[in-house]
Amino acid sequence: MTQYTLQAHRPSNRCLWEGRRVALKVASGAGDLQTCTGKPRDSKMVEWTDFERATIVDIFSKMQYEVVGPAALARCLVVYPWTQRYFGNFGNLYNAAAISGNPMVAKHGTTILHGLDRAVKNMDDIKATYAELSVLHSEKLHVDPDNFKLLSDCLTIVVAAQLGKDFTGEVQAAFQKFLAVVVSALGRQYH
């Protein structure tokens, strides 16, 4: 059993660690260690501001899926060539021109973006939204979870190019937060 010692400022802070036995040092008492188990007060993966929600919805409403998806996946396959090993049945991936012109890359890139729609529509429960995809990618496809982050970085570059000056620092922060939550949800099966 993992034991954590926490300084609690009030007894209501006791049960924040789901599924773990926690040693809690209460600051207001004689310093006795207590143990508790329980669910966290808030089971959400992340908190979204109104600006972040509106920004994510706005980005996806402007996105040209058939352009951005293929461009992001092609960029990932070119920049990080070791990611190509998961696409052995896609045919010619020998150079940048072949990858960019490959119809299977284009189709899968578009599929990926439509998969992100699920997260946009379920921003309060992205973890559950991607539970099945996480299992598929880890247990059947054996995709290295670091590749999700690489693809999200490539997607950010392509979206930034598409949005131009509208892709401000604040917009980028919201978009990358969204992608980080998706990447985390897809990687949950690996933990």
Side-chain angles (χ1 to χ4, degrees), residues 165-181:
K165 63 182 168 79
D166 292 336
F167 199 71
T168 64
E170 294 84 8
V171 170
Q172 179 180 351
F175 188 63
Q176 287 192 280
K177 177 180 176 179
F178 171 78
L179 292 177
V181 173

Side-chain angles (χ1 to χ4, degrees), residues 6-188:
L6 305 171
Q7 281 298 103
H9 298 289
R10 59 185 193 276
S12 65
N13 284 345
R14 279 192 217 145
C15 297
L16 296 176
W17 300 91
E18 179 179 15
R20 295 185 176 105
R21 195 160 167 81
V22 179
L24 180 70
K25 185 172 182 178
V26 180
S28 63
D32 297 332
L33 291 179
Q34 301 174 12
T35 57
C36 68
T37 57
K39 295 190 183 278
R41 288 182 290 190
D42 188 356
S43 62
K44 285 184 182 178
M45 230 174 135
V46 68
E47 293 289 328
W48 300 101
T49 66
D50 291 340
F51 172 79
E52 290 168 337
R53 286 179 189 276
T55 298
I56 298 307
V57 169
D58 186 53
I59 288 172
F60 279 88
S61 71
K62 293 177 180 175
M63 198 175 294
Q64 298 171 352
Y65 286 42
E66 291 73 23
V67 174
V68 174
L73 182 56
R75 179 178 288 267
C76 187
L77 295 172
V78 170
V79 175
Y80 309 107
W82 60 87
T83 61
Q84 294 174 19
R85 70 176 171 240
Y86 303 106
F87 302 97
N89 63 336
F90 276 29
N92 183 359
L93 299 177
Y94 299 120
N95 58 45
I99 291 168
S100 296
N102 187 309
M104 294 180 81
V105 170
K107 182 179 179 191
H108 192 65
T110 303
T111 300
I112 291 168
L113 279 193
H114 283 293
L116 287 174
D117 271 342
R118 294 174 56 198
V120 173
K121 294 174 184 166
N122 297 289
M123 287 180 70
D124 290 323
D125 201 6
I126 292 175
K127 179 173 61 172
T129 300
Y130 287 111
E132 287 180 28
L133 272 178
S134 180
V135 170
L136 172 70
H137 283 83
S138 70
E139 294 179 11
K140 182 178 179 190
L141 302 174
H142 306 289
V143 175
D144 181 340
D146 290 340
N147 292 328
F148 301 134
K149 173 68 173 128
L150 299 177
L151 180 58
S152 76
D153 290 346
C154 292
L155 179 59
T156 300
I157 292 166
V158 173
V159 168
Q162 182 187 21
L163 295 180
K165 63 182 168 79
D166 292 336
F167 199 71
T168 64
E170 294 84 8
V171 170
Q172 179 180 351
F175 188 63
Q176 287 192 280
K177 177 180 176 179
F178 171 78
L179 292 177
V181 173
V182 170
V183 166
S184 176
L186 284 170
R188 291 194 64 81

